[in-house]
Every structure is written in C-alpha cells, then in structure tokens.
Amino acid sequence: MPGLAAKPVIDLMTSVNTLDDVTDERVAVLERLGYRFEDVGMPNRLFYFREKAQGERSHHLHIVTADTWPTRNERLFRDHLRAHPEMAAEYEAVKRRLAAETDDGFTYTKSKTEVIQRGVDAERTARGLPLVTVWEEV
C-alpha cells in the first residue's frame, strides 16, 4: 500500500480457477524464477517465496482460487486501510512496534491479528458480508 511502512518483502497474490491449475509445468516456471514452495498450513492456498542473494526473503507469492478473490480478507483489509487513514496509521504503528520487538516472522504476523481483524470486520460489515476469522486454520 503506497505510503505505509512495510518490511522489505513484496507480497503478491494471484488467483487460478483451481489449485490443480498450478501444474508441474507452472511450478517449474516459478522455480526457474527463484521461487520455492513452503507448506504454511493454510488450506486452499499455495505459498511460494523467493530469496535475495543473502538468504533473506524478497517475495511472497500466495496462490488462491478465483472464486474467493472478491471477498479475500487481504483485499478487504487493503480497501479498508485506503478508505480509513486513521486505521492505516494505527496499523503502521503496530507494525513498527513489532518490527522493533521481534525478528520472528510468525510472531510478527500473528501479533498484527487484532488490528487486522477489526479492519476486516468493519469492511465486511460495510459490504454486508459475514464475519470470518482472518487466520485460516487447518
């Protein structure tokens, strides 16, 4: 999101009709581009990452199904932050605090849940969508 402080990792999300559309041929292309698969325990999602020469991650690629695209929590939260600068400022402050407190990516991500959940809930309510947890559980 333009103007929002972020870690130096580019998060990408793309959709396919079904996860079976991510064929061996397509995986081979991702691997040639330097992406590696990681099972992050999220159902209905494939996750690949790419590293810089120093071993630090530079890109996260989330592959989801097209039928979930319009109501993805990630997209709804982004839209909410764009429309509510006060929430964006709060989220940025949380991210900065956590970045100073931990180097553990899982802890950093999980610790942002409360503010993300509030933003997603507000956006889902505004759009008349049911409330759901922001964490996909196995």
Side-chain angles (χ1 to χ4, degrees):
M1 225 182 86
L4 188 67
K7 60 187 179 206
V9 177
I10 298 170
D11 281 305
L12 305 162
M13 183 173 279
T14 190
S15 69
V16 292
N17 287 329
T18 72
L19 294 181
D20 290 336
D21 290 340
V22 183
T23 60
D24 290 344
E25 181 180 310
R26 290 179 173 167
V27 169
V29 170
L30 287 172
E31 289 173 347
R32 281 196 302 275
L33 292 170
Y35 284 92
R36 295 188 346 223
F37 174 77
E38 181 178 0
D39 183 355
V40 292
M42 290 187 273
N44 305 311
R45 177 188 306 231
L46 299 174
F47 177 77
Y48 288 82
F49 67 92
R50 186 173 178 191
E51 294 178 334
K52 301 176 195 172
Q54 305 84 1
E56 295 177 15
R57 293 188 177 188
S58 63
H59 295 76
H60 291 163
L61 173 61
H62 302 263
I63 303 173
V64 299
T65 57
D67 62 321
T68 66
W69 196 248
T71 58
R72 299 255 8 136
N73 286 334
E74 299 86 352
R75 295 185 74 213
L76 296 173
F77 186 56
R78 177 207 61 193
D79 292 350
H80 191 75
L81 293 180
R82 286 178 174 171
H84 298 89
E86 70 287 349
M87 173 69 76
E90 178 185 357
Y91 182 55
E92 181 172 349
V94 167
K95 290 172 59 162
R96 287 183 183 277
R97 178 182 54 78
L98 291 169
E101 291 176 1
T102 184
D103 290 329
D104 179 69
F106 180 78
T107 299
Y108 172 84
T109 299
K110 196 75 168 170
S111 297
K112 298 182 299 179
T113 300
E114 188 274 329
V115 69
I116 293 170
Q117 188 71 61
R118 279 192 292 112
V120 168
D121 287 352
E123 194 64 25
R124 283 183 164 278
T125 298
R127 294 180 187 207
L129 296 170
L131 301 183
V132 298
T133 182
V134 295
W135 272 91
E136 297 174 1
E137 300 295 337
V138 182

